[in-house]
Amino acid sequence: QADLVESGGGLVQAGGSLRLSCGAPRRAFTGYVVAWFRQAPGEEREFVAGIEWRTNKSTYADSVKGRFTISRDNAKNTFDLAMSSLTPEDTGVYYCAAQPGTWSRWSTTRAVYRYWGQGAQVTVSP
């Protein structure tokens, strides 16, 4: 059973938009770093975007800068990934992740995250 619960995703044509959301039924994200990763078929899971909850400072992979936005809602204890100008290369399973602590140079690394969502499929057709 995943620690985090994801919603959103789906099928969209190239150039379209989708939104993913992630929540934690059993923990508060205060004092955490939260992030989104994605995994295309046959590929490694890669960092997409992350945010330090306390400071609200965000970081993005170069491939999504200017197109994706990560945001957090402190009242709802959720964080979202708004995706626009999608391309077929954005297709994959998207995972949310969370780790207690502050942002560091390792925060783009999959291995540092303790808690994960179940994954949400995002498919972008040409």
Side-chain angles (χ1 to χ4, degrees), residues 69-99:
T69 302
I70 187 171
S71 61
R72 61 135 169 88
D73 187 323
N74 201 39
K76 295 181 180 179
N77 196 49
T78 60
F79 62 100
D80 291 1
L81 184 69
M83 303 177 288
S84 63
S85 301
L86 286 161
T87 74
E89 288 68 37
D90 294 314
T91 294
V93 179
Y94 283 67
Y95 297 89
C96 61
Q99 173 64 21

Side-chain angles (χ1 to χ4, degrees), residues 27-76:
R27 70 187 74 253
F29 286 131
T30 303
Y32 277 63
V33 169
V34 296
W36 290 95
F37 287 75
R38 67 185 181 188
Q39 188 166 15
E43 301 291 331
E44 294 290 319
R45 194 173 299 185
E46 65 175 1
F47 172 80
V48 174
I51 193 167
E52 184 178 83
W53 201 269
R54 182 182 62 84
T55 62
N56 203 28
K57 182 179 178 181
S58 57
T59 301
Y60 296 90
D62 288 343
S63 59
V64 306
K65 280 181 181 177
R67 301 188 299 121
F68 291 13
T69 302
I70 187 171
S71 61
R72 61 135 169 88
D73 187 323
N74 201 39
K76 295 181 180 179

Side-chain angles (χ1 to χ4, degrees), residues 5-16:
V5 179
E6 299 182 38
S7 61
L11 173 65
V12 68
Q13 287 187 324

